[in-house]
Amino acid sequence: MKYASIPFNQNHNGWLRETPASRPALRGDCEADWAIVGAGFAGLAFARRLASHNPNLKIVVVDAASAAESSSARNSGFAIGLPHNIGSSTAELKKAQDYRSLLQAGIDELKTIVTDRGIDCEWEKAGKYHCQADARSESVLQEYRDNLELMDEAYEVLDRETLSQKLGTHFYHKGIYTPGAVLLNPASLAIGLAATLPENVTLYDMTPVMAIHYGKINRLVTPFGTLCAPKVMLATAALSRELAPGISKQAAMATFASLTAPLTDEQRQRLPIMKSWGLTPVNAIAGATLRYTADRRILIRQHVVPALHGRVTATQTYAATRLHRATFDKIFPQFRDVSLTHSWSGTISVTRNGAPVWGALSGAVYTASGCNGAGISKQTIAGSLLADYALGYDNPLTATMLALGEANYLPPSPLLDAAIAGSLLKERWLGRKEA
C-alpha cells in the first residue's frame, strides 16, 4: 500500500503565545457521519456550519498536527476583505466584485464568532497598505486602484514621504491604503475556533491520514486507528495530494516569516508616532509582507519555495531567515540591533489560473482549497459555503463562489516541478526591485 505524505514544518509557529494543550490522537476504530481532514480555517468553518445545520450529525475532524500548528495558524494574520494581486497575476482583480462579496462575508462570519465566543486573537480593524518599492511597478498598483474605484471602495494613495510617516521606512515609492482589513494573531484565532466548536464535533490532534479507501463507507487509515464515514471533506489544500481523487489542480508552496523581539523604548523612538499596521507588496513572491504589531514587534514574510509534499527542512528555514535579515536591514536600516527571534514556515495552495478548487471531488467527497493566499477570510467563507452546498441549503453566495470558475489542470512531476521553478524565477525577476 502506498501511503500519503505527511506535512511537516521543521520549525515552530512564532505566533504562539505559549505551548497550547494538545488533544488526544485518534486511537482504535471510529465511525462518524462526516470525516474532515485538516483543522485549518476551511476545515473548522465547514465543521462548524455542518454542526449548526444539524446538531444530530456526528462530525470528526482529524489533523496531522493541530489547529495551532496548521498552515492557517502560521500565516501573516491579515483578514482581507478586498481582492488584490498575487505576484504579477491579477486574476483576483478580474473577478473583483465576486471576491469582495466572499471575502467580506468571511470577515463578518469570523467577527461574529470572535465576539460571541470571546476569542482573544488581537482582532484589530487597522486596514492595509499595498505598496510598491519600484516605480516601474506602477501598472499593477494602478490596476488595483482602478478596481477599487469600480467597487466604490474607500482608499488613499500615499507617496514616499507620507508612507515613511505611516510605516517608519523610506523604502516604498508609493502605496494605497484601504481601511477594511483586519489584523490579528492567526494562531490565537485558530486555537479559539477549534476550542469553540459545537458539541457534536470531535477534533483529534496528531492524527495524519495515511490513506483513504473510498467506497459507500469511506475508510480513513491513521497510524493508530481508522475513521469510517459515508462523507468526507478534505481540508488539506494541496498537501497530501495522494488522498484526493481525480486530477491534480493545485500545488503546495512554502512561505516563510520571521518576527522580531518587541522594540525597546529606545528603539521605538527611531520610528514616528504610529499605530500597528500591515503591508502587502505588489509582488508577493519577490516582495515582503510586513506587520508592525500592537506589542511593538515587526513581522516580515518573504521567500516562496515549492513544497509539493508539504515538508520544510531546517536548512530551508535557515536560508529564509538569512534572507529576512538582509531584507529587514534594507527596509529598516535603523534597526540593525533588533533581533529576529522566531522564524517559521507555512504552506499555501496555488492554482494555475487563480481559481479555487471547491465543491464535490467525486461522490460524497468534498473540498475547499486552492486559496492562492489571503486564506483567513477566503477559506472561512469557502468552508462554510461548502457545508451549505453539501447539505443542500440555499445560500446566495454559493452562486458567487461558483462564479470564480474552476482551477486548471496541473501536470504531474517532474513537469510540475519544472513549471513551478520557472514560474518562481519569472516572478523573482519581475519583482527584483521590490525587496
Side-chain angles (χ1 to χ4, degrees), residues 76 78 80 83-93 128-134 137 140-141 171-172 253-257 279-290 299-305 323-324 327 331 346 348-350 371-375 378 423-435:
S76 299
F78 289 74
I80 296 175
H84 64 279
N85 61 292
I86 306 296
S88 62
S89 170
T90 56
E92 280 198 14
L93 299 180
K128 180 179 74 73
Y129 296 88
H130 197 52
C131 296
Q132 66 180 66
D134 182 7
S137 302
V140 176
L141 204 63
F171 184 75
Y172 294 98
M253 309 290 282
T255 65
F256 298 83
L279 179 154
T280 55
V282 293
N283 188 312
I285 304 299
T289 296
L290 300 170
L299 171 119
I300 176 169
R301 175 182 172 182
Q302 186 192 28
H303 196 47
V304 181
V305 299
L323 178 63
H324 291 169
T327 304
I331 298 174
I348 60 173
S349 171
V350 298
C371 69
N372 293 286
K378 188 184 296 182
S423 178
L424 288 175
L425 283 174
K426 173 187 174 184
E427 290 294 342
R428 287 168 185 152
W429 172 254
L430 291 174
R432 62 193 181 278
K433 299 294 186 180
E434 291 300 322

Side-chain angles (χ1 to χ4, degrees), residues 325-343:
R325 181 76 254 181
T327 304
F328 181 82
D329 289 345
K330 190 186 301 183
I331 298 174
F332 295 104
Q334 71 270 42
F335 287 141
R336 293 182 183 275
D337 60 336
V338 174
S339 61
L340 301 180
T341 58
H342 300 83
S343 294

Side-chain angles (χ1 to χ4, degrees), residues 26-32 58 60 204 225-229:
L26 172 66
R27 294 183 181 276
D29 297 328
C30 177
E31 295 183 354
K58 182 179 180 181
V60 173
Y204 292 102
T226 60
L227 171 58
C228 293

Side-chain angles (χ1 to χ4, degrees), residues 216-404:
K216 186 174 181 181
I217 299 296
N218 305 295
R219 187 165 67 92
L220 287 68
V221 180
T222 77
F224 306 109
T226 60
L227 171 58
C228 293
K231 297 180 180 180
V232 176
M233 189 275 196
L234 297 177
T236 56
L239 302 176
S240 301
R241 293 185 299 163
E242 301 89 342
L243 301 179
I247 62 174
S248 174
K249 294 184 177 181
Q250 57 186 324
M253 309 290 282
T255 65
F256 298 83
S258 291
L259 197 59
T260 70
L263 301 183
T264 65
D265 289 342
E266 187 279 325
Q267 290 166 341
R268 177 63 183 81
Q269 296 302 312
R270 304 173 201 171
L271 291 171
I273 297 174
M274 62 187 192
K275 299 179 180 179
S276 52
W277 51 261
L279 179 154
T280 55
V282 293
N283 188 312
I285 304 299
T289 296
L290 300 170
R291 280 187 58 186
Y292 177 65
T293 66
D295 61 352
R296 307 198 302 194
R297 296 187 292 173
I298 298 174
L299 171 119
I300 176 169
R301 175 182 172 182
Q302 186 192 28
H303 196 47
V304 181
V305 299
L308 299 185
H309 298 288
R311 296 172 185 170
V312 178
T313 67
T315 300
Q316 288 175 307
T317 304
Y318 176 71
T321 304
R322 287 174 60 87
L323 178 63
H324 291 169
R325 181 76 254 181
T327 304
F328 181 82
D329 289 345
K330 190 186 301 183
I331 298 174
F332 295 104
Q334 71 270 42
F335 287 141
R336 293 182 183 275
D337 60 336
V338 174
S339 61
L340 301 180
T341 58
H342 300 83
S343 294
W344 69 96
S345 59
T347 52
I348 60 173
S349 171
V350 298
T351 62
R352 188 175 173 183
N353 61 341
V357 181
W358 187 90
L361 292 176
S362 65
V365 181
Y366 297 81
T367 192
S369 54
C371 69
N372 293 286
I376 294 180
S377 51
K378 188 184 296 182
Q379 290 305 93
T380 294
I381 193 62
S384 294
L385 288 176
L386 185 64
D388 292 343
Y389 181 75
L391 294 182
Y393 282 82
D394 183 41
N395 189 318
L397 283 177
T398 300
T400 307
M401 192 76 201
L402 293 170
L404 300 181

Side-chain angles (χ1 to χ4, degrees), residues 1 3 62 70 74 142 145 184 200 203 227 257 263 305 315 322 395 410 412 435:
M1 176 186 295
Y3 292 111
V62 294
S70 67
R74 290 168 168 263
Q142 183 60 49
R145 181 179 178 179
L184 51 82
N200 56 324
L203 175 55
L227 171 58
L263 301 183
V305 299
T315 300
R322 287 174 60 87
N395 189 318
L410 287 176

